[in-house]
């Protein structure tokens, strides 16, 4: 069991890692501690932010949050230049509920089990970093990845953890895709090299292509559209128990595809016009359609 670092210790650890750090407002005392415990901490969790208008606006959103999810939404935001923006410290709304078996594996520093439950509070147990990326196939700059590796390794070193204490949100909470396009096994390998005093050379642990197909836009899904992406989507809908196909799925967009996708939207909790069967960016990300 690890007691969280103090805010000043946290800042010092990040600065020693060699990353550029920018402090925002009253980050040291900006937290959600009144809603639950902060600690013991067991690891570091990395996320992608999702779509953003500007990087500065996304940093501010992660600091303040929004009506249904108040900030801070992480401890630090890592922008695409590799700068770490500190926006909160203590309990933060970033991890949410996840799998207790995953937490046990992190604590034991063993290979992770599949995340198939959301029965354990993660906000009290993980340092969280939101990394600016749309999650829709946007590339990861090497300088940003390097900062992500460095801060993860620095916190692991401060607590005496191995690289197995670093996880992605997608490994914690079922249905989460972040950080998209990053192999977390490769990410941990890079962290391990820093822990061993051997920084990775120049090969970032991204996959050759994003893990999942980026959202092509709602207008893509219309009568007459034919593509391998529609087949891949249909197969994922069937795997999620939402298939409404009498045969197929196939490459042409049909009413069966629309009804199947509507079933997926309802499974996610949407209703009315929000469950019309036309894919949107959020439901698409959660479906995790493999790139054809």
């Amino acid at each position: 069991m690890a007691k969280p670092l103090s805010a000043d210790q946290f800042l010092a650890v990040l600065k020693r890692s060699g990353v550029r750090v920018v402090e925002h407002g009253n980050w040291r005392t900006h937290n959600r501690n009144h809603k639950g415990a902060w600690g013991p901490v067991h690891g570091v969790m990395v996320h992608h932010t999702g779509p953003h208008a500007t990087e500065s606006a996304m940093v501010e959103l992660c600091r303040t949050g929004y009506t249904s999810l108040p900030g801070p939404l992480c401890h630090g935001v890592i922008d695409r230049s590799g700068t770490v923006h500190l926006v909160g410290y203590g309990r933060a709304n970033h991890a949410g509920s996840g799998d207790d078996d995953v937490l046990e594996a992190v604590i034991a520093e063993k290979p992770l089990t599949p995340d198939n439950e959301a029965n354990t509070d993660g906000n009290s147990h993980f340092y969280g970093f939101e990394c600016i990326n749309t999650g829709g196939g946007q590339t990861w700059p090497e300088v940003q990845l390097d900062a992500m590796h460095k801060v993860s390794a620095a916190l692991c070193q401060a607590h005496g953890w191995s690289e197995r204490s670093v996880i992605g949100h997608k490994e914690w909470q079922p249905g989460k895709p972040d950080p998209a396009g990053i192999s977390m096994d490769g990410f941990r390998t890079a962290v391990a090299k820093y822990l061993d005093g051997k920084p990775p050379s120049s090969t970032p642990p991204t996959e050759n292509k994003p893990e999942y197909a980026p959202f092509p836009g709602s207008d893509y899904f219309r009568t007459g559209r034919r593509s391998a992406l529609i087949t891949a989507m249909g197969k994922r809908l069937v795997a999620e128990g939402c298939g409404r196909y009498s045969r197929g799925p196939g490459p042409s967009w049909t009413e069966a595809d629309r009804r199947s996708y509507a079933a997926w939207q309802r499974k996610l909790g949407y209703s009315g016009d929000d469950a019309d069967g036309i894919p949107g960016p959020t439901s698409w990300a959660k479906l995790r359609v493999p790139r054809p």
Side-chain angles (χ1 to χ4, degrees):
M1 296 177 66
K3 180 180 178 182
L5 301 173
S6 70
D8 287 339
Q9 289 171 330
F10 181 73
L11 175 61
V13 164
L14 296 188
K15 285 185 173 180
R16 281 199 301 269
S17 75
V19 300
R20 178 172 180 262
V21 180
V22 176
E23 302 174 66
H24 291 261
N26 60 338
W27 72 269
R28 286 178 173 80
T29 56
H30 183 41
N31 55 57
R32 305 290 295 166
N33 289 1
H34 61 290
K35 290 294 185 179
W38 168 232
V41 289
H42 299 301
V44 179
M45 186 176 294
V46 292
H47 309 253
H48 71 237
T49 57
H52 54 277
T54 65
E55 294 190 37
S56 59
M58 179 54 74
V59 171
E60 181 62 12
L61 177 64
C62 288
R63 187 181 76 84
T64 59
Y66 42 93
T67 302
S68 60
L69 192 68
L73 305 184
C74 58
H75 301 111
V77 182
I78 303 179
D79 70 21
R80 294 177 65 76
S81 74
T83 298
V84 181
H85 300 264
L86 298 184
V87 297
Y89 197 68
R91 183 182 177 90
N93 280 330
H94 74 98
S97 296
D99 196 304
D100 59 342
D101 294 327
V102 172
L103 182 60
E104 288 182 12
V106 171
I107 294 171
E109 299 196 313
K110 294 181 178 179
L112 299 181
T113 57
D115 56 327
N116 54 20
E117 295 180 290
N119 57 10
T120 300
D121 173 34
N123 292 334
S124 63
H125 298 309
F126 289 96
Y127 297 106
F129 291 91
E130 287 283 355
C131 308
I132 294 183
N133 188 284
T134 64
Q138 188 177 31
T139 58
W140 289 93
E142 188 173 338
V143 66
Q144 184 184 25
L145 286 165
D146 192 48
M148 293 159 65
H149 301 152
K150 284 178 177 177
V151 299
S152 299
L155 287 167
C156 286
Q157 187 175 53
H159 284 289
W161 298 331
S162 79
E163 72 279 5
R164 291 197 179 278
S165 293
V166 181
I167 68 172
H169 198 197
K170 61 186 174 185
E171 297 176 301
W172 169 248
Q173 188 176 96
K176 294 295 183 180
D178 54 317
I182 291 180
S183 161
M184 288 309 299
D185 286 337
F187 191 98
R188 283 184 282 269
T189 296
V191 171
K193 289 181 179 179
Y194 273 113
L195 290 173
D196 290 340
K198 301 174 183 178
S201 53
S202 61
T203 305
T206 49
E207 299 173 358
N208 292 331
K209 295 184 290 188
E211 281 184 277
Y212 306 112
F215 180 58
S218 296
D219 290 343
Y220 184 90
F221 303 97
R222 55 180 172 78
T223 301
R225 176 72 69 183
R226 181 181 175 88
S227 75
L229 180 62
I230 292 173
T231 303
M233 176 204 72
K235 289 180 177 179
R236 282 291 299 127
L237 292 170
V238 170
E240 291 290 341
C242 297
R244 301 294 185 266
Y245 302 95
S246 58
R247 61 179 181 177
S252 296
W253 176 261
T254 66
E255 177 63 16
D257 291 298
R258 190 198 65 77
R259 288 190 288 106
S260 298
Y261 204 92
W264 168 242
Q265 291 167 324
R266 290 192 295 272
K267 183 175 180 178
L268 295 176
Y270 296 113
S271 61
D273 291 342
D274 293 327
D276 60 1
I278 303 301
T282 301
S283 59
W284 181 266
K286 290 182 177 180
L287 187 58
R288 297 194 280 191
V289 178
R291 178 183 284 271

